[in-house]
Amino acid sequence: MTPIDTATNDTEPTLLVTGQAYGLAMSPDGRTLWVSPSNGDHATPVDTVTGAPGTRVTVGRSAFDVGLDWNGATAYVTTADGNTLVPIDTASGKAGEALKTGAYPLAVAVTPVPVK
């Protein structure tokens, strides 16, 4: 992936991730970019300052899209072939219990504010 500075249109150093980067979700502080490849079984946090990938989190076949909750504490990853939505605790890097979805979930959207 190659970030682009939108103020100058200059490209930043390329961020190296494995797989075919598809799903992208930026943490609220801009420090971590979560990436899921449509052809892999994991999601990877990438440090946006250093460009270093963190530890992959296995979620299941065809990890397609990723979204973060309002405070960045949980990343949600769709698994297109598994028909699930998998929560990841971003602090610990641990996947939670998969939630069943309809057939072939290709996208996830998360509300930007807490729901009470």
Side-chain angles (χ1 to χ4, degrees):
M1 287 183 307
T2 304
I4 299 171
D5 183 323
T6 57
T8 64
N9 288 329
D10 290 334
T11 57
E12 301 291 325
T14 298
L15 304 175
L16 299 176
V17 295
T18 58
Q20 197 173 11
Y22 180 85
L24 304 172
M26 184 70 71
S27 64
D29 65 4
R31 179 69 196 237
T32 305
L33 177 66
W34 281 85
V35 181
S36 61
S38 62
N39 61 348
D41 67 351
H42 59 277
T44 305
V46 178
D47 186 308
T48 59
V49 174
T50 66
T55 303
R56 287 188 197 182
V57 180
T58 301
V59 294
R61 288 185 2 184
S62 296
F64 220 83
D65 197 17
V66 60
L68 287 168
D69 67 356
W70 69 277
N71 64 358
T74 306
Y76 294 92
V77 182
T78 62
T79 63
D81 288 343
N83 301 327
T84 62
L85 180 68
V86 180
I88 298 172
D89 180 308
T90 59
S92 69
K94 302 289 183 199
E97 186 173 338
L99 308 167
K100 285 292 188 190
T101 66
Y104 213 68
L106 298 180
V108 61
V110 183
T111 183
V113 294
V115 177
K116 295 183 181 190

